[in-house]
Amino acid sequence: ASSLDVARIREVFPILSELVSGKPLVYLDNAASTQKPVQVIDAIANHYRRSNANVHRGIHELSNRATDAYDGARDKVAAFFGVADSAELVWTRGTTEGLNLLAHAWGTTHLRAGDEILLSVLEHHSNLVPWQMVAQRTGAKLRFIDIDEQGRLDLSTLDDLLTERTKLVSITHVSNALGTVNPVALIAERARAVGAVMIVDGAQSAPHLPVDVPSLGADFYVFSGHKMCGPTGIGGLWGRREALESLAPFHGGGDMIEFVELESSTYAQLPHRLEAGTPNIAGAVGLAAATDYLTAVGREAILAHERSLLAYAIERMSEIPDMTILGPRDLSERSGVVSFTLADIHPHDLATILDSEGVAIRAGHHCTQPLMKRLGVGSTARASFYLYNTPGEVDALVDALQKARTLFGY
Ligand code: PMP
């Protein structure tokens, strides 16, 4: 049972009225990127119509408008995540840039040969590759938390994995491939006990869980705007003030400096010290409109709606013969993601057939190749839900999957 008025919600997402293959669009690829409400589309358009100029520079009306909107956006997005001091929120292009910033700005200055970085086998490539790069550069070693057969982190090995050599732990809050919700607050507490810095990849939790970020007990949290009804090209890095202060400047250039001499410079205060160059002003404005929108709809109600869609999807999909659903069986341990395989139909073939029915899902390795290998599957198909999805769309997914099964001669 959902308390959301989904019919009304759908009215503010113009793209949901598109036809695909002559059929109504059923958009179930929300873990990859979400659609945008008119509130976000209009905020961006109105910014360019009425307030566009560079920020923090001009002594003129438009620059003041742009600066007010940009600074106000930071305050709003910080508040959305429960962050009182908006100087602790650094704009990035998204989760990938946030993790690369941390790998380079923190990793290259704080890691030495023999130090250990603890990750898990279910990380997205963006929480693996930057650490591989920094490990190669510094001589630090990568270690991994394994998973059980349901795709849940195996925390029984944490005592062995977390030692005084562990300098950094970086774990995803929610798995994009399986939907597993990881106990990151518990892991952060254990990391702290050995003096390690803890990063939470919030790409899949920021949109779906009402996260009070500081209370997770981590040092850093990164997220992407486009997965939470905001525009592409904007996201954020939250850090505890002392943790942010421990980062070396990342990009050098305008806006991040205090004084510049030919041979050396001093740097600006946070957050500007980590934000060189003209920022994505319209992106920040659009993301703030997205957080306003999600708050107005109600994040607890969105979560309850997604949980009920997930339960219904798993119930209906389980009726399909030869269906294998991956991930935790206890639905309270997962978010609105269903990763599955159907008989031996290649997930790309499934996605293509579903597309011809108007149903958009993701198929492939989901940027988690090591996880796929660990699970012994080459790839999976994935349906992922958001506030605007309906039980009727789950029915459309199931009908299309049944059709694919028949087409393949099952
Ligand atoms: N981590 C996770 C868990 C993700 O789901 C994603 C996006 N699929 C990313 C990181 C990377 O996010 P982005 O591509 O927006 O930088």
Side-chain angles (χ1 to χ4, degrees), residues 31-33 92-99 122-127 171-177 201-205 222-227 232-235 362 366-368 382:
S33 200
T92 63
R93 283 192 294 138
T95 306
T96 302
E97 187 176 74
L99 291 166
L122 49 68
E123 299 310 315
H124 188 277
H125 293 165
S126 63
N127 197 24
I171 302 288
T172 192
H173 198 170
V174 176
S175 158
N176 63 305
D201 172 351
Q204 298 291 344
S205 64
V222 290
F223 61 94
S224 298
H226 70 97
K227 293 184 196 278
T232 50
I234 185 85
R362 175 83 185 265
H366 316 292
C367 297
T368 56
R382 179 188 72 188

Side-chain angles (χ1 to χ4, degrees), residues 171-187:
I171 302 288
T172 192
H173 198 170
V174 176
S175 158
N176 63 305
L178 299 177
T180 319
V181 179
N182 295 319
V184 285
L186 186 147
I187 299 170

Side-chain angles (χ1 to χ4, degrees), residues 283-306:
V285 167
L287 179 53
T291 57
D292 277 350
Y293 174 74
L294 292 173
T295 302
V297 173
R299 289 155 88 192
E300 292 289 351
I302 293 172
L303 179 63
H305 175 70
E306 289 175 17

Side-chain angles (χ1 to χ4, degrees), residues 54-387:
N54 213 328
V55 290
H56 303 145
R57 291 184 189 163
I59 320 275
H60 58 77
E61 169 67 19
L62 286 189
S63 180
N64 292 339
R65 280 187 208 170
T67 302
D68 286 350
Y70 178 68
D71 291 347
R74 195 191 307 269
D75 293 342
K76 271 188 185 168
V77 175
F80 181 82
F81 288 110
V83 173
D85 178 3
S86 64
E88 292 181 348
L89 178 68
V90 175
W91 297 122
T92 63
R93 283 192 294 138
T95 306
T96 302
E97 187 176 74
L99 291 166
N100 277 277
L101 189 160
L102 290 170
H104 292 274
W106 190 90
T108 50
T109 46
H110 294 275
L111 291 170
R112 304 276 172 272
D115 288 348
E116 292 181 0
I117 300 169
L118 182 60
L119 309 170
S120 85
V121 300
L122 49 68
E123 299 310 315
H124 188 277
H125 293 165
S126 63
N127 197 24
L128 288 172
V129 183
W131 303 116
Q132 294 168 356
M133 292 158 99
V134 84
Q136 275 160 17
R137 212 186 282 182
T138 59
K141 240 186 110 200
L142 302 179
R143 303 198 71 187
F144 300 94
I145 305 174
D146 198 9
I147 49 170
D148 65 14
E149 80 291 349
Q150 293 186 43
R152 300 174 301 185
L153 293 182
D154 176 7
L155 297 184
S156 68
T157 56
L158 219 46
D159 277 335
D160 292 333
L161 289 169
L162 274 175
T163 70
E164 74 285 354
R165 288 187 302 277
T166 316
K167 292 296 179 298
L168 180 94
V169 181
S170 188
I171 302 288
T172 192
H173 198 170
V174 176
S175 158
N176 63 305
L178 299 177
T180 319
V181 179
N182 295 319
V184 285
L186 186 147
I187 299 170
E189 197 182 322
R190 300 284 296 276
R192 184 178 301 268
V194 297
V197 164
M198 173 84 185
I199 300 171
V200 174
D201 172 351
Q204 298 291 344
S205 64
H208 305 285
L209 306 177
V211 194
D212 180 75
V213 166
S215 71
L216 293 176
D219 297 283
F220 299 106
Y221 179 92
V222 290
F223 61 94
S224 298
H226 70 97
K227 293 184 196 278
M228 48 191 292
C229 293
T232 50
I234 185 85
L237 158 67
W238 167 81
R240 283 190 306 105
R241 185 170 269 278
E242 314 86 89
L244 284 174
E245 303 277 8
S246 78
L247 296 177
F250 178 44
H251 289 149
D255 275 355
M256 57 77 72
I257 49 81
E258 185 187 29
F259 296 108
V260 177
E261 306 270 1
L262 283 177
E263 303 283 349
S264 66
S265 304
T266 55
Y267 304 125
Q269 299 290 314
L270 288 171
H272 309 293
R273 192 157 60 87
L274 293 164
E275 297 175 341
T278 299
N280 184 352
I281 304 161
V285 167
L287 179 53
T291 57
D292 277 350
Y293 174 74
L294 292 173
T295 302
V297 173
R299 289 155 88 192
E300 292 289 351
I302 293 172
L303 179 63
H305 175 70
E306 289 175 17
R307 287 243 155 93
S308 76
L309 280 177
L310 175 72
Y312 182 59
I314 288 189
E315 178 195 318
R316 291 278 346 257
M317 290 168 74
S318 304
E319 296 164 7
I320 305 174
D322 312 308
M323 170 65 67
T324 305
I325 295 174
L326 292 87
R329 280 190 281 277
D330 179 348
L331 299 194
S332 70
E333 293 179 311
R334 61 198 284 167
S335 74
V337 169
V338 190
S339 212
F340 61 95
T341 57
L342 180 55
D344 59 3
I345 308 174
H346 195 285
H348 282 157
D349 292 336
L350 268 184
T352 305
I353 294 166
L354 264 55
D355 183 52
S356 69
E357 298 295 315
V359 180
I361 61 160
R362 175 83 185 265
H365 53 63
H366 316 292
C367 297
T368 56
Q369 285 179 3
L371 173 64
M372 296 291 116
K373 193 169 170 191
R374 174 66 183 81
L375 293 170
V377 294
S379 60
T380 74
R382 179 188 72 188
S384 51
F385 308 112
Y386 211 15
L387 70 165

Side-chain angles (χ1 to χ4, degrees), residues 42 44-52 62 65:
D42 290 350
I44 296 166
N46 288 337
H47 170 77
Y48 283 122
R49 283 208 172 93
R50 294 205 290 266
S51 310
N52 181 56
L62 286 189
R65 280 187 208 170

